[in-house]
Amino acid sequence: MEKLKPKLFSVMKTYTKEQFIKDVVSGIIVAIIALPLSIALALASGVTPEKGIYTAITAGFVISLLGGSRVQIAGPTAAFATIVAGIVAKNGFEGLVIATLMAGIILILMGLLRLGSLIRFIPYTITTGFTAGIAVTIVIGQIKDFLGLTVVTEEPLIETVEKLAAVFHFIGTINWQAAAVGAICLAILIGWPYLPGVCKKIPPSLIAVLAGIAMVSGLKLQVNTIGDLYEISNKLPALSLPAFRFETIHSVLPDAFTIAVLAAIESLLSCVVADSMIGSRHQSNTELVAQGAGNIVSALFGGIPATGAIARTAANIKNGGRTPIAGMVHAVVLLLILVVLMPYAALIPMPAIAAILFMVAYNMCGWRKFVHLCRTSPKSDIAVLVVTFVLTVVFDLVVAIEVGILMAALLFMKRMSDVTQVKGWKYAQEVQDPDGTELHAVPENTRVYEISGPLFFGAADKILQIALEGKTRYLILRMRSVSAIDATAMHTLEELQEKCRQKNICLILSHVNEQPMQVMKKAGFTKKVGEENFCSHIYEALDRAQALGEAGQYK
């Protein structure tokens, strides 16, 4: 069983001075990348800019310290933006803190209960669908700032559909100066990585922010900046406990589960990607405990939900980071930046932030995977994918995940039911066993049915298709292809056995596998049928039916 031992303790046994230097350099570079992203994601989440940096500092440090991955970088991510914005709009920042604390506790429990491996049971179509849906909601939510629209409503806009409707309604208020700044920043974000030489080493988001500040401040453009809309603070994160009220806890409980599940999925997915890049292996349950602890600390120090960030983790690896020290350095550097440079964040234009979030949405949407799945997947999987995507955009992630998982489960059971078959042998005199080469006589008053596939509640009714004809005195069920059986199917077998008893038919079972046999013993079915009527092979079952027939016995 996997031990809940942080990777930091393992890697320090062979830690070297050379690796420390690489980790420090990588941590500094990742902090520079994380700075504008943390601010942008905080604003997209409906909170003040410093909240994003608080999250990257506190959660980033704790998750690297306690995590199950060598290179994971944690902080605010785009996946949480719409969820967080909705919670803040409905329950205020205090409600978000409570939801994040509860999510942290859930994550720790998931790790302690060794549930890390269960994340793989969430279908790929669901994760792809809601990821693409989140990307679309981010884009729609940022159109207002990108175009500099003046949106006036009586109530704050929470739902994505409402925001899209407001864009069309107020499109006439477009600020062309803001749109120009946004377009230039977006062009920088797209084109900068293609420039040669040293330019590739500088994060394009940082260049876009500096260019936006230069345009708005230097040309005196009438464009909203962060300082125009928010109060900027460079204070250090301070410990604060929320007031726990039953109404608030009840209201945010579904959101807490959503945050926990999403944090688990994204962090473990990031770990898998990182493992493939460095040839390592993460500890999933340790990572869940660390994610829980990181989110609790983030909430207590004024942050928002956090999880492993795939892009920042990949940047860490590419710049030489190989131990959790890099993630801890990234958090410390951000702390220093918060104190020294945070007041200058007031100069960042809102269109530049929107452009950064457009690129974040594009990079996370996975449209190529989405299109590939639509082209190559079965219709049922495409339905799950599209429904999850649409519900994420139209409603929210909670509804999308609930409906998506329900649909996937029902469609899976339908497939398994279709796979399970109960077929009777059509010949009565002789039969060739697929496992053998010899012909074997079948008594005239014996019927053989072969069951294949799992016997569960979705396929249990197929057992009732077995015909008990008038001449039949011995019924053989060949179960070599039945890997598992549940209580519903067991009940149906008991009904079949009772019908056999009433018609004076002897029931014989052949090649019952381990799991079905255990269920039958526990249900007392073996005693009802008789342990002597459980045969290890079809030949043995046929021989027993013939021997009973010759002896004139039916039971």
Side-chain angles (χ1 to χ4, degrees), residues 291-313:
Q291 292 289 333
N295 275 279
I296 290 174
V297 173
S298 175
L300 292 176
F301 283 89
I304 59 179
T307 186
I310 296 177
R312 275 160 272 174
T313 299

Side-chain angles (χ1 to χ4, degrees), residues 50-292:
E50 71 275 5
K51 303 293 187 186
I53 300 181
Y54 289 171
T55 306
I57 293 170
T58 55
F61 189 89
V62 171
I63 291 172
S64 291
L65 176 67
L66 303 177
S69 171
R70 295 176 58 175
V71 292
Q72 179 88 288
I73 301 294
T77 65
F80 287 124
T82 53
I83 301 172
V84 172
I87 298 173
V88 171
K90 294 176 182 176
N91 300 286
F93 186 74
E94 188 172 82
L96 174 63
V97 171
I98 294 173
T100 308
L101 287 171
M102 293 167 64
I105 294 171
I106 294 169
L107 282 164
I108 291 176
L109 291 175
M110 290 171 66
L112 295 177
L113 295 173
R114 304 296 198 275
L115 299 181
S117 60
L118 294 182
I119 299 300
R120 69 178 186 269
F121 291 109
I122 296 180
Y124 181 62
T125 48
I126 291 179
T127 57
T128 304
F130 75 63
T131 301
I134 290 170
V136 171
T137 60
I138 290 173
V139 170
I140 293 173
Q142 295 305 311
I143 293 175
K144 168 182 169 291
D145 289 329
F146 188 84
L147 298 177
L149 302 179
T150 301
V151 176
V152 181
T153 58
E154 295 181 0
E155 298 291 335
L157 301 177
I158 300 175
E159 302 297 334
T160 303
V161 176
E162 294 176 347
K163 293 178 181 178
L164 184 60
V167 168
F168 285 107
H169 188 266
F170 293 97
I171 193 66
T173 64
I174 185 172
N175 181 341
W176 292 105
Q177 293 181 356
V181 171
I184 292 172
C185 291
L186 186 59
I188 292 172
L189 291 166
I190 295 172
W192 190 264
Y194 295 100
L195 296 179
V198 183
C199 293
K200 290 185 177 181
K201 298 287 185 180
I202 305 174
S205 57
L206 182 62
I207 300 300
V209 164
L210 294 176
I213 292 174
M215 283 186 287
V216 174
S217 300
L219 301 176
K220 306 298 182 182
L221 301 179
Q222 298 301 311
V223 176
N224 282 335
T225 64
I226 292 178
D228 295 330
L229 304 179
Y230 301 94
E231 183 179 345
I232 303 297
S233 172
N234 65 341
K235 294 180 181 179
L236 295 176
L239 179 64
S240 177
L241 290 174
F244 290 93
R245 300 182 183 88
F246 177 78
E247 294 79 6
T248 306
I249 294 174
H250 183 269
S251 176
V252 301
L253 183 59
D255 297 308
F257 275 101
T258 302
I259 292 172
V261 172
L262 189 56
I265 294 171
E266 192 165 1
S267 63
L268 295 183
L269 178 60
S270 178
C271 287
V272 171
V273 173
D275 287 349
S276 65
M277 295 177 71
I278 64 174
S280 180
R281 188 173 182 180
H282 73 279
Q283 298 166 197
S284 58
N285 294 315
T286 305
E287 184 65 22
L288 290 180
V289 172
Q291 292 289 333

Side-chain angles (χ1 to χ4, degrees), residues 410-456:
L410 291 174
L411 291 169
F412 172 77
M413 288 186 287
K414 176 65 168 60
R415 288 197 201 107
M416 290 297 98
S417 175
D418 293 340
V419 167
T420 302
Q421 295 181 339
V422 179
K423 290 186 177 180
W425 286 5
K426 296 185 181 303
Y427 32 83
Q429 300 299 324
E430 294 180 329
V431 60
Q432 181 171 359
D433 180 55
D435 294 334
T437 58
E438 300 178 359
L439 294 174
H440 198 90
V442 178
E444 187 176 354
N445 56 0
T446 301
R447 295 290 296 168
V448 180
Y449 280 85
E450 183 147 4
I451 305 176
S452 58
L455 277 177
F456 69 110

Side-chain angles (χ1 to χ4, degrees), residues 400-515:
I401 291 179
E402 289 175 349
V403 175
I405 291 178
L406 179 60
M407 280 186 64
L410 291 174
L411 291 169
F412 172 77
M413 288 186 287
K414 176 65 168 60
R415 288 197 201 107
M416 290 297 98
S417 175
D418 293 340
V419 167
T420 302
Q421 295 181 339
V422 179
K423 290 186 177 180
W425 286 5
K426 296 185 181 303
Y427 32 83
Q429 300 299 324
E430 294 180 329
V431 60
Q432 181 171 359
D433 180 55
D435 294 334
T437 58
E438 300 178 359
L439 294 174
H440 198 90
V442 178
E444 187 176 354
N445 56 0
T446 301
R447 295 290 296 168
V448 180
Y449 280 85
E450 183 147 4
I451 305 176
S452 58
L455 277 177
F456 69 110
F457 59 89
D461 63 315
K462 294 188 177 182
I463 298 173
L464 301 178
Q465 298 174 6
I466 295 175
L468 303 178
E469 298 175 354
K471 294 182 179 180
T472 303
R473 288 295 173 261
Y474 304 98
L475 175 63
I476 298 176
L477 300 183
R478 195 181 193 191
M479 302 183 66
R480 61 175 182 167
S481 298
V482 178
S483 57
I485 187 172
D486 71 355
T488 304
M490 188 67 254
H491 175 69
T492 308
L493 274 180
E494 289 174 337
E495 289 183 343
L496 177 65
Q497 190 272 336
E498 178 60 23
K499 289 180 181 178
C500 288
R501 187 189 65 79
Q502 293 174 359
K503 294 189 176 184
N504 212 21
I505 297 174
C506 179
L507 181 62
I508 302 173
L509 289 88
S510 165
H511 198 152
V512 180
N513 290 307
E514 183 178 356
Q515 192 274 350

